[in-house]
Short mmCIF file of all heavy atoms in Angstrom, two decimals:
data_model
loop_
_atom_site.label_atom_id
_atom_site.label_comp_id
_atom_site.label_asym_id
_atom_site.label_seq_id
_atom_site.Cartn_x
_atom_site.Cartn_y
_atom_site.Cartn_z
N THR Z 1 6.47 -3.33 -21.19
CA THR Z 1 5.09 -3.45 -21.70
C THR Z 1 5.03 -3.47 -23.21
O THR Z 1 4.07 -3.94 -23.79
CB THR Z 1 4.24 -2.28 -21.18
OG1 THR Z 1 4.78 -1.04 -21.66
CG2 THR Z 1 4.21 -2.27 -19.67
N ARG Z 2 6.06 -2.92 -23.88
CA ARG Z 2 6.08 -2.82 -25.34
C ARG Z 2 4.83 -2.08 -25.83
O ARG Z 2 4.55 -0.99 -25.39
CB ARG Z 2 6.23 -4.21 -25.98
CG ARG Z 2 7.47 -4.96 -25.55
CD ARG Z 2 8.73 -4.27 -26.00
NE ARG Z 2 9.92 -5.02 -25.60
CZ ARG Z 2 11.15 -4.66 -25.89
NH1 ARG Z 2 11.36 -3.53 -26.58
NH2 ARG Z 2 12.18 -5.37 -25.47
N GLU Z 3 4.06 -2.73 -26.67
CA GLU Z 3 2.86 -2.08 -27.23
C GLU Z 3 1.60 -2.42 -26.45
O GLU Z 3 0.50 -1.99 -26.83
CB GLU Z 3 2.69 -2.48 -28.70
CG GLU Z 3 3.86 -2.11 -29.59
CD GLU Z 3 4.17 -0.61 -29.55
OE1 GLU Z 3 3.21 0.19 -29.57
OE2 GLU Z 3 5.36 -0.26 -29.51
N SER Z 4 1.72 -3.19 -25.40
CA SER Z 4 0.54 -3.61 -24.64
C SER Z 4 0.00 -2.43 -23.83
O SER Z 4 0.74 -1.59 -23.33
CB SER Z 4 0.87 -4.76 -23.71
OG SER Z 4 1.27 -5.89 -24.43
N THR Z 5 -1.31 -2.41 -23.67
CA THR Z 5 -1.99 -1.36 -22.92
C THR Z 5 -1.95 -1.66 -21.42
O THR Z 5 -2.07 -2.81 -21.01
CB THR Z 5 -3.45 -1.24 -23.37
OG1 THR Z 5 -3.48 -0.98 -24.78
CG2 THR Z 5 -4.17 -0.13 -22.63
N LEU Z 6 -1.75 -0.61 -20.62
CA LEU Z 6 -1.84 -0.75 -19.18
C LEU Z 6 -3.30 -0.60 -18.74
O LEU Z 6 -3.97 0.35 -19.14
CB LEU Z 6 -0.98 0.30 -18.49
CG LEU Z 6 0.54 0.09 -18.60
CD1 LEU Z 6 1.29 1.31 -18.12
CD2 LEU Z 6 0.97 -1.15 -17.82
N VAL Z 7 -3.76 -1.54 -17.93
CA VAL Z 7 -5.16 -1.55 -17.50
C VAL Z 7 -5.20 -1.69 -15.97
O VAL Z 7 -4.24 -2.19 -15.36
CB VAL Z 7 -5.94 -2.71 -18.16
CG1 VAL Z 7 -5.99 -2.52 -19.66
CG2 VAL Z 7 -5.30 -4.07 -17.79
N PRO Z 8 -6.31 -1.28 -15.33
CA PRO Z 8 -6.43 -1.51 -13.87
C PRO Z 8 -6.48 -3.00 -13.58
O PRO Z 8 -7.24 -3.73 -14.20
CB PRO Z 8 -7.77 -0.82 -13.55
CG PRO Z 8 -8.00 0.14 -14.66
CD PRO Z 8 -7.44 -0.52 -15.87
N ILE Z 9 -5.68 -3.45 -12.63
CA ILE Z 9 -5.67 -4.88 -12.27
C ILE Z 9 -6.10 -5.14 -10.84
O ILE Z 9 -6.50 -6.25 -10.49
CB ILE Z 9 -4.28 -5.50 -12.50
CG1 ILE Z 9 -3.23 -4.81 -11.61
CG2 ILE Z 9 -3.90 -5.49 -13.95
CD1 ILE Z 9 -1.97 -5.59 -11.43
N ALA Z 10 -6.05 -4.09 -9.99
CA ALA Z 10 -6.45 -4.28 -8.59
C ALA Z 10 -6.74 -2.94 -7.95
O ALA Z 10 -6.15 -1.92 -8.30
CB ALA Z 10 -5.36 -5.01 -7.80
N ARG Z 11 -7.67 -2.98 -7.00
CA ARG Z 11 -8.02 -1.78 -6.23
C ARG Z 11 -7.83 -2.10 -4.75
O ARG Z 11 -8.40 -3.07 -4.24
CB ARG Z 11 -9.46 -1.37 -6.49
CG ARG Z 11 -9.92 -0.14 -5.69
CD ARG Z 11 -11.40 0.15 -5.89
NE ARG Z 11 -11.68 0.50 -7.29
CZ ARG Z 11 -12.31 -0.28 -8.16
NH1 ARG Z 11 -12.73 -1.50 -7.79
NH2 ARG Z 11 -12.56 0.13 -9.38
N LEU Z 12 -7.00 -1.33 -4.06
CA LEU Z 12 -6.73 -1.54 -2.65
C LEU Z 12 -7.23 -0.39 -1.81
O LEU Z 12 -6.99 0.78 -2.13
CB LEU Z 12 -5.22 -1.71 -2.41
CG LEU Z 12 -4.65 -3.13 -2.49
CD1 LEU Z 12 -4.82 -3.70 -3.88
CD2 LEU Z 12 -3.19 -3.15 -2.06
N THR Z 13 -7.93 -0.73 -0.74
CA THR Z 13 -8.36 0.24 0.28
C THR Z 13 -7.64 -0.11 1.57
O THR Z 13 -7.74 -1.25 2.03
CB THR Z 13 -9.89 0.17 0.48
OG1 THR Z 13 -10.54 0.44 -0.76
CG2 THR Z 13 -10.32 1.18 1.53
N THR Z 14 -6.91 0.84 2.11
CA THR Z 14 -6.06 0.58 3.26
C THR Z 14 -6.33 1.55 4.40
O THR Z 14 -6.37 2.76 4.19
CB THR Z 14 -4.57 0.68 2.87
OG1 THR Z 14 -4.30 -0.22 1.80
CG2 THR Z 14 -3.67 0.36 4.06
N ARG Z 15 -6.52 0.99 5.59
CA ARG Z 15 -6.51 1.81 6.80
C ARG Z 15 -5.12 1.69 7.38
O ARG Z 15 -4.70 0.62 7.84
CB ARG Z 15 -7.55 1.32 7.80
CG ARG Z 15 -7.51 2.10 9.11
CD ARG Z 15 -8.46 1.50 10.14
NE ARG Z 15 -8.32 2.20 11.41
CZ ARG Z 15 -7.43 1.91 12.35
NH1 ARG Z 15 -6.58 0.91 12.15
NH2 ARG Z 15 -7.35 2.61 13.46
N ARG Z 16 -4.37 2.78 7.33
CA ARG Z 16 -2.96 2.79 7.75
C ARG Z 16 -2.79 3.59 9.03
O ARG Z 16 -3.24 4.73 9.12
CB ARG Z 16 -2.07 3.35 6.64
CG ARG Z 16 -0.65 3.68 7.06
CD ARG Z 16 0.25 3.94 5.89
NE ARG Z 16 0.55 2.69 5.19
CZ ARG Z 16 1.38 2.60 4.17
NH1 ARG Z 16 1.96 3.68 3.69
NH2 ARG Z 16 1.61 1.42 3.61
N VAL Z 17 -2.13 2.99 10.01
CA VAL Z 17 -1.77 3.67 11.24
C VAL Z 17 -0.23 3.75 11.28
O VAL Z 17 0.44 2.72 11.27
CB VAL Z 17 -2.31 2.93 12.48
CG1 VAL Z 17 -1.83 3.62 13.74
CG2 VAL Z 17 -3.83 2.86 12.44
N VAL Z 18 0.29 4.97 11.29
CA VAL Z 18 1.75 5.18 11.18
C VAL Z 18 2.29 5.66 12.52
O VAL Z 18 1.78 6.62 13.11
CB VAL Z 18 2.09 6.21 10.09
CG1 VAL Z 18 3.60 6.37 9.97
CG2 VAL Z 18 1.50 5.77 8.74
N CYS Z 19 3.37 5.02 12.97
CA CYS Z 19 4.11 5.44 14.16
C CYS Z 19 5.52 5.85 13.71
O CYS Z 19 6.23 5.05 13.09
CB CYS Z 19 4.20 4.31 15.17
SG CYS Z 19 2.59 3.74 15.78
N ARG Z 20 5.90 7.06 14.00
CA ARG Z 20 7.22 7.57 13.60
C ARG Z 20 8.22 7.34 14.71
O ARG Z 20 7.99 7.68 15.87
CB ARG Z 20 7.11 9.04 13.25
CG ARG Z 20 8.41 9.73 12.90
CD ARG Z 20 8.20 10.87 11.95
NE ARG Z 20 7.97 10.38 10.59
CZ ARG Z 20 7.86 11.18 9.54
NH1 ARG Z 20 7.93 12.49 9.69
NH2 ARG Z 20 7.67 10.68 8.33
N LEU Z 21 9.38 6.75 14.34
CA LEU Z 21 10.42 6.43 15.31
C LEU Z 21 11.51 7.51 15.24
O LEU Z 21 12.07 7.78 14.17
CB LEU Z 21 11.03 5.07 15.00
CG LEU Z 21 10.28 3.81 15.42
CD1 LEU Z 21 8.86 3.79 14.85
CD2 LEU Z 21 11.03 2.55 14.98
N ARG Z 22 11.79 8.10 16.40
CA ARG Z 22 12.82 9.15 16.45
C ARG Z 22 13.98 8.71 17.34
O ARG Z 22 13.79 8.00 18.31
CB ARG Z 22 12.22 10.46 16.98
CG ARG Z 22 11.24 11.12 15.99
CD ARG Z 22 10.83 12.50 16.44
NE ARG Z 22 9.94 13.15 15.49
CZ ARG Z 22 10.35 13.92 14.48
NH1 ARG Z 22 11.65 14.16 14.33
NH2 ARG Z 22 9.50 14.46 13.67
N GLY Z 23 15.17 9.19 16.97
CA GLY Z 23 16.36 8.82 17.70
C GLY Z 23 17.06 10.01 18.31
O GLY Z 23 16.42 11.00 18.68
N GLN Z 24 18.38 9.94 18.38
CA GLN Z 24 19.18 10.99 18.98
C GLN Z 24 18.98 12.31 18.23
O GLN Z 24 18.88 12.35 17.01
CB GLN Z 24 20.65 10.60 18.96
CG GLN Z 24 21.57 11.52 19.77
CD GLN Z 24 22.98 10.98 19.82
OE1 GLN Z 24 23.35 10.08 19.10
NE2 GLN Z 24 23.79 11.56 20.71
N ASN Z 25 18.91 13.40 18.99
CA ASN Z 25 18.66 14.75 18.42
C ASN Z 25 17.31 14.81 17.68
O ASN Z 25 17.14 15.66 16.81
CB ASN Z 25 19.79 15.17 17.49
CG ASN Z 25 21.12 15.27 18.23
OD1 ASN Z 25 21.18 15.70 19.38
ND2 ASN Z 25 22.20 14.85 17.57
N ASP Z 26 16.44 13.89 18.04
CA ASP Z 26 15.07 13.86 17.49
C ASP Z 26 15.04 13.55 16.00
O ASP Z 26 14.05 13.82 15.32
CB ASP Z 26 14.33 15.16 17.77
CG ASP Z 26 12.89 14.92 18.18
OD1 ASP Z 26 12.61 13.86 18.77
OD2 ASP Z 26 12.02 15.77 17.89
N VAL Z 27 16.11 12.98 15.45
CA VAL Z 27 16.13 12.62 14.03
C VAL Z 27 15.10 11.53 13.77
O VAL Z 27 14.89 10.65 14.60
CB VAL Z 27 17.54 12.18 13.60
CG1 VAL Z 27 17.94 10.88 14.29
CG2 VAL Z 27 17.62 12.01 12.09
N VAL Z 28 14.44 11.60 12.62
CA VAL Z 28 13.46 10.58 12.24
C VAL Z 28 14.20 9.37 11.68
O VAL Z 28 14.87 9.46 10.65
CB VAL Z 28 12.46 11.11 11.19
CG1 VAL Z 28 11.48 10.00 10.78
CG2 VAL Z 28 11.72 12.32 11.73
N LEU Z 29 14.10 8.26 12.38
CA LEU Z 29 14.79 7.04 11.97
C LEU Z 29 13.99 6.24 10.95
O LEU Z 29 14.53 5.75 9.96
CB LEU Z 29 15.08 6.17 13.19
CG LEU Z 29 15.94 6.80 14.29
CD1 LEU Z 29 16.07 5.84 15.46
CD2 LEU Z 29 17.31 7.18 13.74
N ALA Z 30 12.69 6.06 11.22
CA ALA Z 30 11.88 5.20 10.37
C ALA Z 30 10.40 5.46 10.66
O ALA Z 30 10.05 6.05 11.69
CB ALA Z 30 12.21 3.73 10.61
N ASP Z 31 9.58 4.99 9.75
CA ASP Z 31 8.13 4.97 9.95
C ASP Z 31 7.67 3.51 10.01
O ASP Z 31 8.05 2.69 9.16
CB ASP Z 31 7.40 5.67 8.81
CG ASP Z 31 7.54 7.18 8.87
OD1 ASP Z 31 7.72 7.72 9.98
OD2 ASP Z 31 7.48 7.83 7.82
N PHE Z 32 6.88 3.20 11.03
CA PHE Z 32 6.32 1.87 11.18
C PHE Z 32 4.83 1.97 10.89
O PHE Z 32 4.11 2.72 11.57
CB PHE Z 32 6.55 1.33 12.59
CG PHE Z 32 6.15 -0.10 12.76
CD1 PHE Z 32 7.04 -1.14 12.58
CD2 PHE Z 32 4.83 -0.42 13.12
CE1 PHE Z 32 6.66 -2.46 12.73
CE2 PHE Z 32 4.44 -1.74 13.28
CZ PHE Z 32 5.34 -2.76 13.09
N SER Z 33 4.35 1.24 9.89
CA SER Z 33 2.94 1.31 9.47
C SER Z 33 2.24 0.00 9.76
O SER Z 33 2.76 -1.09 9.52
CB SER Z 33 2.84 1.60 7.96
OG SER Z 33 3.44 2.83 7.65
N ASP Z 34 1.05 0.12 10.29
CA ASP Z 34 0.16 -1.01 10.56
C ASP Z 34 -1.01 -0.88 9.59
O ASP Z 34 -1.84 0.02 9.71
CB ASP Z 34 -0.32 -0.96 12.01
CG ASP Z 34 -1.25 -2.09 12.37
OD1 ASP Z 34 -1.30 -3.09 11.63
OD2 ASP Z 34 -1.92 -1.99 13.41
N ASP Z 35 -1.07 -1.77 8.59
CA ASP Z 35 -2.05 -1.66 7.51
C ASP Z 35 -3.09 -2.76 7.56
O ASP Z 35 -2.76 -3.94 7.61
CB ASP Z 35 -1.34 -1.74 6.14
CG ASP Z 35 -0.45 -0.55 5.86
OD1 ASP Z 35 -0.57 0.46 6.58
OD2 ASP Z 35 0.34 -0.64 4.92
N HIS Z 36 -4.36 -2.34 7.53
CA HIS Z 36 -5.48 -3.26 7.30
C HIS Z 36 -5.94 -3.02 5.87
O HIS Z 36 -6.39 -1.92 5.54
CB HIS Z 36 -6.61 -3.00 8.30
CG HIS Z 36 -6.29 -3.41 9.70
ND1 HIS Z 36 -6.73 -4.59 10.25
CD2 HIS Z 36 -5.54 -2.82 10.66
CE1 HIS Z 36 -6.29 -4.70 11.48
NE2 HIS Z 36 -5.57 -3.63 11.77
N VAL Z 37 -5.83 -4.04 5.04
CA VAL Z 37 -6.02 -3.88 3.60
C VAL Z 37 -7.19 -4.70 3.10
O VAL Z 37 -7.35 -5.88 3.47
CB VAL Z 37 -4.74 -4.32 2.85
CG1 VAL Z 37 -4.88 -4.05 1.36
CG2 VAL Z 37 -3.52 -3.59 3.41
N GLN Z 38 -7.99 -4.07 2.24
CA GLN Z 38 -9.01 -4.78 1.47
C GLN Z 38 -8.62 -4.65 0.00
O GLN Z 38 -8.42 -3.54 -0.49
CB GLN Z 38 -10.40 -4.19 1.69
CG GLN Z 38 -11.48 -4.80 0.79
CD GLN Z 38 -12.83 -4.17 1.03
OE1 GLN Z 38 -13.28 -4.10 2.16
NE2 GLN Z 38 -13.47 -3.73 -0.03
N ALA Z 39 -8.46 -5.78 -0.69
CA ALA Z 39 -8.03 -5.77 -2.08
C ALA Z 39 -9.06 -6.43 -2.96
O ALA Z 39 -9.56 -7.51 -2.65
CB ALA Z 39 -6.70 -6.50 -2.22
N GLN Z 40 -9.35 -5.76 -4.06
CA GLN Z 40 -10.23 -6.34 -5.08
C GLN Z 40 -9.42 -6.51 -6.35
O GLN Z 40 -9.01 -5.54 -6.98
CB GLN Z 40 -11.43 -5.45 -5.37
CG GLN Z 40 -12.38 -6.03 -6.41
CD GLN Z 40 -13.51 -5.08 -6.75
OE1 GLN Z 40 -13.41 -3.89 -6.54
NE2 GLN Z 40 -14.59 -5.62 -7.28
N THR Z 41 -9.09 -7.76 -6.68
CA THR Z 41 -8.40 -8.02 -7.93
C THR Z 41 -9.41 -7.96 -9.08
O THR Z 41 -10.54 -8.42 -8.95
CB THR Z 41 -7.71 -9.39 -7.92
OG1 THR Z 41 -8.67 -10.40 -7.60
CG2 THR Z 41 -6.62 -9.42 -6.86
N LEU Z 42 -8.99 -7.38 -10.19
CA LEU Z 42 -9.87 -7.17 -11.33
C LEU Z 42 -9.59 -8.08 -12.50
O LEU Z 42 -10.40 -8.20 -13.42
CB LEU Z 42 -9.77 -5.70 -11.77
CG LEU Z 42 -9.99 -4.64 -10.67
CD1 LEU Z 42 -9.77 -3.25 -11.22
CD2 LEU Z 42 -11.40 -4.77 -10.10
N THR Z 43 -8.39 -8.71 -12.49
CA THR Z 43 -8.02 -9.61 -13.57
C THR Z 43 -7.12 -10.70 -13.00
O THR Z 43 -6.32 -10.42 -12.10
CB THR Z 43 -7.30 -8.84 -14.71
OG1 THR Z 43 -7.00 -9.75 -15.78
CG2 THR Z 43 -6.02 -8.20 -14.24
N PRO Z 44 -7.20 -11.95 -13.46
CA PRO Z 44 -8.07 -12.44 -14.54
C PRO Z 44 -9.54 -12.57 -14.14
O PRO Z 44 -10.39 -12.71 -15.00
CB PRO Z 44 -7.46 -13.79 -14.86
CG PRO Z 44 -6.86 -14.22 -13.56
CD PRO Z 44 -6.34 -12.99 -12.92
N LYS Z 45 -9.83 -12.56 -12.83
CA LYS Z 45 -11.23 -12.55 -12.40
C LYS Z 45 -11.32 -11.74 -11.12
O LYS Z 45 -10.34 -11.56 -10.39
CB LYS Z 45 -11.74 -13.97 -12.17
CG LYS Z 45 -11.01 -14.74 -11.09
CD LYS Z 45 -11.58 -16.14 -10.94
CE LYS Z 45 -10.86 -16.91 -9.84
NZ LYS Z 45 -11.45 -18.28 -9.67
N GLN Z 46 -12.51 -11.23 -10.83
CA GLN Z 46 -12.68 -10.40 -9.66
C GLN Z 46 -12.71 -11.25 -8.40
O GLN Z 46 -13.36 -12.29 -8.36
CB GLN Z 46 -13.96 -9.58 -9.77
CG GLN Z 46 -13.90 -8.51 -10.84
CD GLN Z 46 -15.04 -7.50 -10.71
OE1 GLN Z 46 -15.76 -7.49 -9.72
NE2 GLN Z 46 -15.18 -6.66 -11.73
N LYS Z 47 -11.99 -10.78 -7.40
CA LYS Z 47 -11.95 -11.46 -6.11
C LYS Z 47 -11.57 -10.44 -5.05
O LYS Z 47 -10.70 -9.59 -5.28
CB LYS Z 47 -10.93 -12.60 -6.14
CG LYS Z 47 -10.77 -13.35 -4.83
CD LYS Z 47 -9.94 -14.61 -5.00
CE LYS Z 47 -8.57 -14.34 -5.54
NZ LYS Z 47 -7.74 -15.56 -5.60
N THR Z 48 -12.23 -10.51 -3.90
CA THR Z 48 -11.94 -9.59 -2.82
C THR Z 48 -11.31 -10.35 -1.66
O THR Z 48 -11.83 -11.40 -1.25
CB THR Z 48 -13.21 -8.87 -2.34
OG1 THR Z 48 -13.77 -8.13 -3.43
CG2 THR Z 48 -12.90 -7.91 -1.19
#
């Protein structure tokens, strides 16, 4: 970024449903997420 200012560029609202996958000895292998996302970009122009 050097001397440039960091500014908000996007706002995301997410409904996330997480399913946890377990394996042998009940170890957690992975998380599987199902995301419904609404994004509002703020630059260079606003768009949802």
Side-chain angles (χ1 to χ4, degrees):
T1 62
R2 302 295 182 179
E3 301 303 318
S4 296
T5 302
L6 289 169
V7 297
I9 61 162
R11 179 185 295 108
L12 270 63
T13 301
T14 303
R15 176 185 176 274
R16 168 168 287 184
V17 177
V18 182
C19 299
R20 176 152 284 186
L21 281 55
R22 291 189 178 269
Q24 190 174 12
N25 298 323
D26 221 30
V27 66
V28 179
L29 301 176
D31 286 333
F32 187 93
S33 299
D34 180 16
D35 292 346
H36 289 260
V37 184
Q38 174 180 309
Q40 181 184 21
T41 55
L42 307 176
T43 183
K45 62 181 180 179
Q46 290 194 11
K47 178 170 58 175
T48 300

